[in-house]
Amino acid sequence: MTTRDVVSSPSRQALYERNRYSPAIRSNGFLFVSGQVGSRGDGSPQPGLKAQVRQAFENLNGILAAAGCSFEDVVDVTVFIVDPESKFEEIWSVVPDYWGKAPHPTLTAVGVTWLYGFDFEIKVIAKLPE
C-alpha cells in the first residue's frame, strides 16, 4: 500500500484529526481536496449563508496554498447545497469573488438534505504545479 501524501492547513489539523479524514491528498500530479464547509476554527458553522460560503472558500484556499497551488489550478469542482432551489442564487453571488477568470473548472452541483449543520460544501481536484 502506498503511503498517503497528506496536505493540511496547520490551523485546522485538530479538526481533521477529530473527524478522522485527510483534508487533501497529493497523488499522480493532482491534489484531491475533501469537501470544505464554512466552519470556524472550532468546527462550528459560520453564521449566515454568504459568510459560510466565503469561509468555505477561505478554508479551501488554505489547503490549496499549503500544497503550493491556488484556485487557478483547480480543474474540477463539486458543490453540495442544502435546498439549492432557494439558496443557489445567494451562494452564486459570492462565487465570482473566488472563481477567477475563464476558462473555469468543471462543475457538478448536488442538492442534499443535510450537511452536518452547514448549507454549502465545496470539494475540488487541482493540478499540482510541475
Side-chain angles (χ1 to χ4, degrees), residues 38-50:
S39 63
R40 298 182 271 194
D42 65 358
S44 65
Q46 187 69 260
L49 181 57
K50 285 184 178 182

Side-chain angles (χ1 to χ4, degrees), residues 7-39:
V7 176
S8 181
S9 176
S11 65
R12 302 177 63 78
Q13 188 59 36
L15 184 63
Y16 298 120
E17 288 175 9
R18 182 178 74 211
N19 291 315
R20 297 179 184 210
Y21 70 97
S22 296
I25 300 286
R26 283 187 196 100
S27 182
N28 295 320
F30 289 92
L31 183 70
F32 298 85
V33 182
S34 292
Q36 299 297 302
V37 293
S39 63

Side-chain angles (χ1 to χ4, degrees), residues 46-58:
Q46 187 69 260
L49 181 57
K50 285 184 178 182
Q52 212 178 97
V53 173
R54 288 185 192 288
Q55 187 65 56
F57 271 97
E58 293 300 325

Side-chain angles (χ1 to χ4, degrees), residues 7 12 42 52-53 57 79 82 87 93 95 101 104 117 125:
V7 176
R12 302 177 63 78
D42 65 358
Q52 212 178 97
V53 173
F57 271 97
V79 294
V82 173
K87 295 179 180 163
S93 72
V95 167
K101 297 178 183 166
H104 301 295
I125 301 170

Side-chain angles (χ1 to χ4, degrees), residues 63-128:
I63 292 170
L64 292 171
C69 55
S70 72
F71 198 83
E72 291 296 319
D73 300 301
V74 170
V75 295
D76 184 63
V77 176
T78 304
V79 294
F80 303 92
I81 302 169
V82 173
D83 189 15
E85 187 173 3
S86 70
K87 295 179 180 163
F88 186 83
E89 292 303 321
E90 187 175 359
I91 288 168
W92 234 245
S93 72
V94 174
V95 167
D97 295 344
Y98 296 92
W99 210 252
K101 297 178 183 166
H104 301 295
T106 62
L107 172 69
T108 302
V110 181
V112 297
T113 59
W114 185 78
L115 285 174
Y116 201 65
F118 297 90
D119 294 308
F120 175 82
E121 182 172 344
I122 182 168
K123 173 183 179 10
V124 306
I125 301 170
K127 178 75 171 101
L128 291 165

